[in-house]
């Protein structure tokens, strides 16, 4: 997970903060963001027998833009930012993430590994894809990452993360979105909830992992600043020894990437 405890900021500084975040995000997108656009797939590549029943984007009318955010980064940034537009509550800009209880794998590394695999799967299905980062040595706050997706007018924003819990027996996949109350007026609850549900089911089916319910919350900065359909994807628990080991394998990461992509496919082909 990528959020920490809040602090209070006077609301009078809200406008300045919003403008600064927007300008920083747009500048980063134009100068540093690595955007990989897919070609239209007129003849999609053959699907292996292992994924023969998976949906593909061949049925879609246009190449949708998916922005992928590999959560966290090599160094945390404990400076504070508002958790949403006009919010008094604040959280750390970005935390360091979890660590594998058995493997010692850093979450930010795992998130990027799966994000790159997801990128490749989506490109093969005819999507356009952009990543908020392609390296660990960056300094991007959660709000800035959301602003990137907004600036690019993403069709969906997929935030890749891994989970952790005090109880090492807890396992499974879960996704997060905002609540129906949506206090930051994103207007994206219904679409984000549908996206979260499709991606959750896709991951569970592809991996066989336990499926927890979609978690609806208004405490996530990277959701609250987002003006496009968004979901936080928690791929498994690094605090669970078995799941920690699984998450480090190429095979399981590929299953996760295909499962997430299947959920994205269904989001665009299903009537919301």
């Amino acid at each position: 997970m990528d959020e920490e405890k809040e602090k209070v900021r006077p609301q009078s500084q809200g406008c300045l903060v919003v403008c600064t975040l927007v300008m920083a995000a747009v500048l980063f997108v134009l100068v540093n963001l690595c955007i990989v656009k897919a070609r239209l797939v007129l003849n999609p590549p053959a699907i292996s027998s292992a994924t023969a029943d998976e949906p593909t984007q061949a049925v879609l009318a246009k190449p949708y833009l998916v922005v992928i955010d590999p959560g966290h980064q090599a160094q945390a940034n404990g400076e504070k930012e508002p958790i949403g537009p006009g919010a008094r509550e604040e959280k750390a800009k970005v935390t360091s993430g979890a660590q594998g209880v058995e493997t010692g794998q850093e979450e930010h590394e795992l998130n990027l590994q799966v994000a790159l695999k997801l990128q490749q799967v989506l490109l093969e299905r005819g999507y356009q894809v952009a990543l908020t980062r392609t390296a660990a040595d960056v300094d991007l706050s959660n709000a800035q990452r959301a602003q990137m997706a907004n600036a690019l007018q993403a069709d969906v924003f997929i935030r890749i993360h891994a989970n952790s819990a005090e109880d090492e027996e807890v396992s499974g996949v879960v996704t997060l979105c905002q609540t129906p109350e949506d206090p930051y007026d994103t207007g994206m609850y219904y679409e984000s909830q549908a996206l979260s549900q499709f991606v959750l089911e896709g991951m569970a089916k592809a991996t066989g992992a336990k499926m927890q319910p979609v978690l609806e919350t208004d405490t996530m900065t990277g959701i609250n600043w987002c003006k496009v359909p968004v979901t936080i994807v928690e791929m498994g628990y690094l605090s669970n020894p078995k799941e920690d080991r699984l998450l480090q394998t190429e095979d399981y990461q590929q299953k996760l990437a295909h499962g997430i992509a299947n959920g994205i496919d269904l989001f665009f082909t299903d009537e919301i």
Side-chain angles (χ1 to χ4, degrees), residues 14-120:
C15 180
L16 177 59
V17 171
V18 172
C19 293
T20 301
L21 285 169
V22 172
M23 291 175 64
V26 172
L27 180 61
F28 188 91
V29 167
L30 293 176
V31 177
N32 296 312
L33 184 61
C34 176
I35 303 173
V36 183
K37 291 191 175 181
R39 296 176 181 176
L40 288 175
V41 179
L42 300 179
N43 296 297
I47 304 174
S48 68
S49 58
T51 59
D53 62 343
E54 295 177 355
T56 73
Q57 207 195 5
V59 298
L60 299 179
K62 69 172 186 176
Y64 294 97
L65 173 60
V66 179
V67 175
I68 305 171
D69 174 34
H72 302 290
Q73 57 196 32
Q75 296 294 325
N77 185 341
E79 294 179 9
K80 304 295 184 178
E81 65 182 357
I83 68 170
R88 291 182 175 274
E89 291 182 71
E90 289 190 330
K91 290 185 177 178
K93 288 185 173 181
V94 60
T95 61
S96 57
Q99 187 177 42
V101 66
E102 187 163 306
T103 67
Q105 171 82 311
E106 298 286 347
E107 183 189 344
H108 72 85
E109 297 172 344
L110 171 64
N111 295 341
L112 182 56
Q113 290 168 3
V114 176
L116 291 172
K117 290 179 174 64
L118 175 60
Q119 175 192 46
Q120 186 59 40

Side-chain angles (χ1 to χ4, degrees), residues 18 82-87 183-184 224-225 227:
V18 172
I83 68 170
Y184 300 103
N224 297 337
W225 282 94
K227 299 297 183 182

Side-chain angles (χ1 to χ4, degrees), residues 142-170:
N142 290 309
Q144 286 176 319
R145 295 169 193 237
Q147 292 287 2
M148 290 178 191
N150 296 342
L152 289 169
Q153 298 182 316
D155 291 293
V156 293
F157 185 35
I158 307 295
R159 307 190 64 216
I160 303 295
H161 284 266
N163 226 330
S164 184
E166 292 186 5
D167 183 357
E168 69 174 21
E169 296 299 319
V170 177

Side-chain angles (χ1 to χ4, degrees), residues 90-237:
E90 289 190 330
K91 290 185 177 178
K93 288 185 173 181
V94 60
T95 61
S96 57
Q99 187 177 42
V101 66
E102 187 163 306
T103 67
Q105 171 82 311
E106 298 286 347
E107 183 189 344
H108 72 85
E109 297 172 344
L110 171 64
N111 295 341
L112 182 56
Q113 290 168 3
V114 176
L116 291 172
K117 290 179 174 64
L118 175 60
Q119 175 192 46
Q120 186 59 40
V121 172
L122 291 173
L123 288 173
E124 291 172 355
R125 298 188 186 191
Y127 288 90
Q128 296 179 343
V129 183
L131 276 72
T132 59
R133 68 177 180 93
T134 57
D137 187 19
V138 299
D139 187 12
L140 296 169
S141 78
N142 290 309
Q144 286 176 319
R145 295 169 193 237
Q147 292 287 2
M148 290 178 191
N150 296 342
L152 289 169
Q153 298 182 316
D155 291 293
V156 293
F157 185 35
I158 307 295
R159 307 190 64 216
I160 303 295
H161 284 266
N163 226 330
S164 184
E166 292 186 5
D167 183 357
E168 69 174 21
E169 296 299 319
V170 177
S171 66
V173 291
V174 65
T175 54
L176 292 79
C177 69
Q178 60 269 75
T179 72
E181 289 72 26
D182 192 9
Y184 300 103
D185 195 29
T186 67
M188 287 293 148
Y189 167 72
Y190 292 105
E191 290 177 277
S192 295
Q193 204 283 336
L195 175 64
S196 297
Q197 188 65 44
F198 283 131
V199 168
L200 179 62
E201 292 174 0
M203 285 193 296
K205 182 177 180 181
T207 64
K210 178 182 178 181
M211 185 174 71
Q212 300 179 5
V214 173
L215 175 59
E216 299 180 359
T217 176
D218 294 315
T219 65
M220 297 296 173
T221 306
I223 291 177
N224 297 337
W225 282 94
C226 203
K227 299 297 183 182
V228 301
V230 57
T231 184
I232 295 178
V233 177
E234 299 285 356
M235 303 178 291
Y237 283 79

